[in-house]
Amino acid sequence: MDKHLRLNLGGYALAWSLVIGMLTAGYLNLVNWLIDRVWLDGRHLFDLPSHWYPFLICIPAGLLIGYLNKRLGDYPLTIAGVLTQVRMKGAVDYHQWWKSMLLGLLVLSAGGSIGPEASTTVIIGGMVNWLGDRMRWAYYLDQTRDDEHRPSIWRDKMRREELAQAPRFGTLFKDRRQKRLVITLLILVGVVGSAIIFKLFPEEGVFGIHHRTINWQWLDLLTALPALAVGIAFGWLFVQLGKWTSHIEHARLDKVWQGGLFGLLLAASTLISQDALFSGEFRIVPFSREALGMTAGYLLLVAVLKAVVTNLGFALCWRGGTIFPAIFASLAIGVACALVLPGTVAVNAAVVLTASLTCILGRPLLTVILLALLVPIELLPVLLVAAYATDWLMKKTKLMQK
């Protein structure tokens, strides 16, 4: 590859990596903006008791979600679905990105108990795949066309027949080391792009380094065992609920009515707890404080309700990410258990939360990274031990295997 082409491709990749980061942050901000408009500003437009408002929003939105699922397909794709597409086809079909974005925005703004990570993954994956294709296409045409007929990567449109003949993305680099360095640089540029948007249009954040004084007790070593067992049991239940409710997808009930039915169920569940709505992402930190004033029985009810609503909604067309709802439900069961057990409440709750989330995600390191940014950083040793102990037990007992 000559110097001119290398600079051209490099400049294009850097510019679009910045744009991709900005668009990703913009999408997340748009989600929060829509939720605020629907659930905060919208309440003032209707003279209704507050407990009836979810019915006004969720039922019509559910019918529309079901209709769009029927016409467009099962969108947004899940993270697992994106990864499966990459493994089977080697790429993400970025031509369908708008379907995931449209349904993702609709479900999230309607109060669905799902997170934005699924639709965000599709959007990022699609844009990154598109950028890689543009670079492959430009490289191929540079090698096969003379200067007079060589198109510009900055302005010309890709043709499918030309892209089909382009070499694999890896051939653009001298070796794997160079490829990793370039990709790392582009990711960092994307992070900068996101940071620019979040700085210009700041939103309330949930992730961060939190501090709290922990009153450690030797008794925590003994209560860790039952706490670990409760966390594993709830994590298993959450995963099984996903499997059990998935059978509803094959029911003869029309998708339009499936979406509307879940809208009704979601609205009805708010009569028990308003936390049935949304992913719970922005409620995790304040809820951890509020839960100390609740009874263990009510917290157990909230945890089970959140788990059921999340998985049932996924089966009834309200699709999206389940990581944040899983964290919220696990937190509720963790505090419930900690209120019953002797010892330090924060430690026992952290053990239950970590064990449950490790079961659900199946990734102990990912669990630790996520929770380290949500719970007091002083509990990091507890997170590490609980996550890897749970992972070891799951492998030993083959608990989560089919």
Side-chain angles (χ1 to χ4, degrees):
M1 186 186 303
D2 61 64
K3 185 177 180 181
H4 178 267
L5 177 61
R6 186 162 56 245
L7 289 174
N8 203 24
L9 292 181
Y12 188 82
L14 287 171
W16 271 102
S17 294
L18 187 71
V19 172
I20 288 171
M22 296 174 75
L23 291 174
T24 301
Y27 173 74
L28 294 174
N29 276 1
L30 177 60
V31 168
N32 293 328
W33 184 84
L34 285 173
I35 289 173
D36 287 344
R37 298 294 77 75
V38 172
W39 293 94
L40 295 180
D41 298 348
R43 286 181 186 272
H44 303 304
L45 299 177
F46 301 94
D47 186 19
L48 282 174
S50 59
H51 60 273
W52 288 117
Y53 187 71
F55 291 88
L56 179 67
I57 298 298
C58 296
I59 296 175
L63 293 170
L64 179 58
I65 289 166
Y67 172 76
L68 291 175
N69 260 267
K70 182 178 179 180
R71 293 297 301 271
L72 302 179
D74 293 330
Y75 291 94
L77 297 177
T78 63
I79 296 175
V82 173
L83 295 176
T84 299
Q85 228 182 63
V86 172
R87 281 196 300 268
M88 295 180 65
K89 301 180 180 179
V92 178
D93 183 7
Y94 47 81
H95 298 96
Q96 309 298 325
W97 66 271
W98 62 274
K99 296 179 181 179
S100 286
M101 182 175 176
L102 174 63
L103 275 158
L105 287 173
L106 181 57
V107 172
L108 290 162
S109 60
S113 182
I114 51 97
E117 62 270 18
S119 52
T120 305
T121 299
V122 175
I123 293 170
I124 295 174
M127 289 189 292
V128 168
N129 207 105
W130 170 84
L131 176 57
D133 279 356
R134 290 284 298 180
M135 294 174 69
R136 293 192 305 115
W137 168 77
Y139 175 78
Y140 166 72
L141 292 184
D142 183 84
Q143 303 300 308
T144 57
R145 302 280 180 88
D146 54 39
D147 293 341
E148 185 179 348
H149 299 92
R150 190 175 296 156
S152 170
I153 189 175
W154 295 91
R155 63 175 183 271
D156 290 320
K157 184 179 179 180
M158 285 189 298
R159 294 181 179 177
R160 289 191 177 185
E161 58 272 19
E162 294 172 342
L163 182 60
Q165 299 179 55
R168 296 175 65 87
F169 183 71
T171 59
L172 274 63
F173 307 94
K174 290 190 300 184
D175 49 42
R176 288 186 178 181
R177 181 174 175 274
Q178 186 190 58
K179 179 181 176 181
R180 288 172 184 156
L181 287 173
V182 170
I183 290 175
T184 302
L185 174 61
L186 296 180
I187 291 172
L188 291 175
V189 172
V191 171
V192 170
S194 296
I196 290 172
I197 295 299
F198 288 138
K199 189 70 175 177
L200 293 174
F201 308 97
E203 289 280 348
E204 179 187 0
V206 63
F207 288 116
I209 303 299
H210 306 277
H211 291 280
R212 180 179 172 183
T213 301
I214 307 297
N215 299 316
W216 303 94
Q217 301 179 42
W218 287 107
L219 187 59
D220 298 334
L221 295 174
L222 294 178
T223 57
L225 294 176
L228 200 70
V230 170
I232 292 173
F234 186 76
W236 176 86
L237 175 63
F238 192 97
V239 174
Q240 293 307 309
L241 282 170
K243 295 178 180 178
W244 296 334
T245 55
S246 66
H247 296 298
I248 299 175
E249 296 178 7
H250 307 296
R252 294 183 179 180
L253 185 63
D254 188 85
K255 282 185 176 292
V256 176
W257 297 115
Q258 285 184 25
L261 174 62
F262 180 74
L264 173 62
L265 294 174
L266 178 61
S269 68
T270 63
L271 299 176
I272 301 173
S273 172
Q274 288 291 318
D275 287 315
L277 293 170
F278 314 118
S279 67
E281 174 185 354
F282 295 102
R283 286 281 295 148
I284 291 170
V285 175
F287 182 79
S288 65
R289 294 189 291 267
E290 297 169 13
L292 297 175
M294 301 175 183
T295 65
Y298 180 71
L299 288 169
L300 176 62
L301 176 62
V302 170
V304 174
L305 176 68
K306 192 67 174 175
V308 170
V309 165
T310 299
N311 287 291
L312 187 60
F314 198 92
L316 292 174
C317 303
W318 291 56
R319 298 166 61 84
T322 58
I323 293 177
F324 283 110
I327 294 175
F328 185 90
S330 300
L331 174 64
I333 202 74
V335 178
C337 181
L339 291 175
V340 174
L341 290 173
T344 308
V345 172
V347 174
N348 289 329
V351 172
V352 177
L353 171 59
T354 307
S356 175
L357 195 60
T358 302
C359 270
I360 295 167
L361 299 181
R363 299 285 188 275
L365 181 59
L366 176 60
T367 298
V368 171
I369 292 172
L370 284 172
L371 295 184
L373 297 172
L374 292 171
V375 306
I377 196 64
E378 288 80 6
L379 292 171
L380 181 58
V382 177
L383 304 181
L384 286 165
V385 173
Y388 283 96
T390 300
D391 186 59
W392 180 81
L393 286 170
M394 287 168 55
K395 291 176 178 176
K396 271 289 183 183
T397 59
K398 300 180 180 180
L399 180 65
M400 304 304 287
Q401 294 185 9
K402 293 183 179 180

